[in-house]
Amino acid sequence: MLPLRGVTQQEPFTHPQLPQPPLRATLHRLVRRAYSRVRQDDLGALRVALSNTGVDSYVRSAAVPDYTNTAVNDALEKLIAVFVDKTPYVAQAGNRQNQPPGNAGQAVLKTMVDEATTAFTQIAAGNADAHITAVFNLADGARLPEIKRTFTEAAKGLRRLHDNRLILLDHRGDLDIQGAGAVSSPRSLTVPVTFADARADARVRILLHESFHIASKDIVDHIYFGAAGFSTVGWPAMKTNADHYAEVARRHAGLTLPAPAPLAVLAPAAGPALTPAQELKVSQALTEAQERLTKGWARSLWVWQNMGLVQRYQNSYLWLGEAPTTELLVRQLMLESQQISMTLHHGTGGRATTPPDVPPVLPLVTAYDLAVMEEVLADLHRLVSWGQAQQTVHVLAAGTPLPAGNAAYLAATDVTNAATSVGNLADQFVTQATQSLASPWLPNAPALKTLVDGMRVRYDQLSS
């Protein structure tokens, strides 16, 4: 996404504390990528506005202009202003605000909220125990009360957000930035701008899923219905996975999704067939890879959201909430900044700049940093989509050509070797996912994989 403001509060993009050549090159890439996102029906008006403003050459140029030149800097500011005016959806969200629907939309929204909360209440009352048992793969009824309590909390949470008008339409473009159909937390739910136009099955399904993120911040997206391993992941993952609860609700409400095809593990054409244990090993590896990819996206999304919180805190004259100045948050921001070349780790901030007995100093979060983070988030969500799309794994004999279309594959020698772990095979799938992107924001697939792997680190274990 394209930043709306300069990198510093002073002269934009030229602060001597920042690494100027790579920063200017990155900024130019942001401009060029923003232009590539412009919808066809908006291109004409945008080109005319760029030409009238005298800055169209900067969009067409593959060479990086000299942004230390005052005239070029001024042109860049004009360029960004034209994009924001003509095609705001390619810009960083900035000051545009998400809003609840109007009166007509609220009526439509209430119909869908009523439908979802009714389903949750009925499930909590014991009207869908068979669905719970099947979806959660329960051996007995010992865990039924705990699961049903979560449905009660989901009904309360969704109703609370609706009544407080905290179900918001995405006027900022947050969902495009995050690669998500909706974004929710116990504080709010953001849905597409057309969500409240009319009741639709797909929109009710969104509520059935997002309500569990509203119910608890501990319920996340480990794996989605239809992905290999959905029915076989362990209880700790099921207990905190939104789509397991949502699948129960979809079945109870008669809004089921098409049954997923089972994972096909294709053995080499020549040679013995794979054993059931070997096929299970492949399935478990793909499930673990999907979890890694999802975690990389979800944790980076959390960092981006907290960057916005820090920026609002730094720009606020009257901050009523708790100051976001924890050691953990600073470490997270610094790690991600180093991995994707933001500017946070170049300025004042973090434990490295303060003695141990002084609270950590938050780095300055700029629109540039948010824009770079948004580019990476889009790529990370594309990796999640790759994982969800894999319904076949090709097990290849030595010398066999790779399958077309970035399909998942493994070497037969790895699958049949008992010493090759599930984790090793999962790591190969993650590598294949990062190689599937045609034009990632990071310089290459290994850099993207390093980021995904880095998101598996517990931040509280990072050195200070």
Side-chain angles (χ1 to χ4, degrees):
M1 297 296 165
L2 197 62
L4 295 179
R5 296 186 300 280
V7 169
T8 72
Q9 303 298 324
Q10 294 80 41
E11 187 178 358
F13 316 124
T14 59
H15 196 285
Q17 198 175 38
L18 302 179
Q20 282 305 307
L23 184 142
R24 292 194 297 273
T26 300
L27 189 63
H28 192 66
R29 287 182 66 203
L30 287 171
V31 171
R32 300 262 292 174
R33 283 170 68 108
Y35 188 74
S36 72
R37 290 193 184 96
V38 176
R39 298 168 188 151
Q40 190 66 36
D41 55 354
D42 291 329
L43 267 177
L46 178 65
R47 287 170 176 164
V48 169
L50 291 171
S51 178
N52 290 343
T53 314
V55 294
D56 52 327
S57 61
Y58 295 103
V59 172
R60 295 198 305 269
S61 173
V64 180
D66 178 11
Y67 289 128
T68 60
N69 180 288
T70 301
V72 176
N73 249 334
D74 291 344
L76 182 65
E77 293 289 340
K78 294 176 183 177
L79 179 70
I80 293 175
V82 172
F83 272 94
V84 172
D85 178 51
K86 299 297 181 183
T87 56
Y89 51 86
V90 302
Q92 187 257 333
N95 293 322
R96 296 192 305 279
Q97 297 299 315
N98 295 334
Q99 299 288 340
N103 291 338
Q106 285 290 342
V108 173
L109 186 59
K110 183 178 184 302
T111 298
M112 294 189 285
V113 168
D114 287 347
E115 189 173 342
T117 55
T118 297
F120 296 154
T121 302
Q122 291 173 349
I123 294 168
N127 295 316
D129 288 2
H131 292 321
I132 294 176
T133 300
V135 171
F136 283 86
N137 199 20
L138 301 180
D140 54 47
R143 288 173 171 150
L144 276 172
E146 179 182 359
I147 294 171
K148 290 193 282 191
R149 282 194 298 271
T150 303
F151 280 94
T152 298
E153 293 305 310
K156 290 178 180 177
L158 181 59
R159 178 64 62 190
R160 172 176 51 80
L161 293 191
H162 173 265
D163 292 348
N164 292 330
R165 297 176 71 89
L166 291 172
I167 300 178
L168 308 175
L169 302 182
D170 181 31
H171 295 290
R172 288 161 48 100
D174 290 341
L175 301 183
D176 284 340
I177 292 168
Q178 299 172 49
V183 172
S184 53
S185 73
R187 297 186 300 274
S188 66
L189 167 61
T190 302
V191 294
V193 290
T194 58
F195 192 86
D197 289 356
R199 187 253 177 230
D201 286 354
R203 292 168 183 168
V204 177
R205 290 191 189 103
I206 287 176
L207 295 181
L208 295 180
H209 175 97
E210 299 299 330
S211 295
F212 294 95
H213 297 306
I214 297 168
S216 171
K217 61 181 178 59
D218 296 324
I219 295 180
V220 296
D221 293 321
H222 294 298
I223 190 170
Y224 295 96
F225 176 79
F230 179 84
S231 61
T232 57
V233 294
W235 167 247
M238 285 187 179
K239 176 184 176 181
T240 55
N241 187 56
D243 219 37
H244 277 87
Y245 296 97
E247 176 58 15
V248 172
R250 289 190 292 258
R251 293 185 184 188
H252 178 71
L255 296 171
T256 52
L257 294 167
L263 177 67
V265 180
L266 302 183
L274 298 176
T275 67
Q278 291 166 346
E279 291 189 353
L280 177 61
K281 180 179 178 181
V282 172
S283 176
Q284 290 172 335
L286 185 58
T287 297
E288 181 176 326
Q290 290 165 333
E291 290 177 350
R292 290 189 196 179
L293 296 171
T294 301
K295 184 177 292 184
W297 167 69
R299 287 192 173 179
S300 292
L301 176 58
W302 186 93
V303 170
W304 175 78
Q305 291 168 333
N306 276 275
M307 286 169 61
L309 175 65
V310 170
Q311 188 186 58
R312 292 193 298 274
Y313 168 73
Q314 292 172 332
N315 294 334
S316 175
Y317 291 102
L318 179 62
W319 184 265
L320 300 179
E322 183 177 349
T325 54
T326 66
E327 178 86 31
L328 179 61
L329 176 57
V330 170
R331 292 184 186 181
Q332 290 170 320
L333 294 178
M334 292 301 180
L335 175 67
E336 194 104 11
S337 179
Q338 291 168 351
Q339 288 181 318
I340 68 174
S341 299
M342 293 188 288
T343 68
L344 307 183
H345 61 290
H346 291 285
T348 300
R351 174 57 65 206
T353 63
T354 57
D357 58 340
V358 175
V361 178
L362 287 168
L364 177 67
V365 176
T366 69
Y368 170 92
D369 296 308
L370 287 165
V372 170
M373 189 71 207
E374 288 160 8
E375 296 294 339
V376 174
L377 272 174
D379 284 349
L380 290 173
H381 196 268
R382 289 162 66 193
L383 299 185
V384 175
S385 298
W386 179 91
Q388 293 171 346
Q390 303 309 310
Q391 296 297 331
T392 300
V393 175
H394 300 261
V395 179
L396 306 178
T400 304
L402 298 182
N406 293 311
Y409 65 91
L410 292 170
T413 51
D414 286 335
V415 173
T416 57
N417 185 350
T420 304
S421 67
V422 169
N424 180 285
L425 299 183
D427 200 62
Q428 294 183 44
F429 286 137
V430 172
T431 297
Q432 292 167 33
T434 62
Q435 293 169 342
S436 71
L437 302 190
S439 55
W441 174 258
L442 294 178
N444 49 48
L448 189 55
K449 184 173 185 299
T450 297
L451 178 61
V452 173
D453 291 342
M455 291 299 99
R456 299 171 61 200
V457 176
R458 284 180 53 192
Y459 285 112
D460 55 1
Q461 294 178 337
L462 296 177
S463 62
S464 56

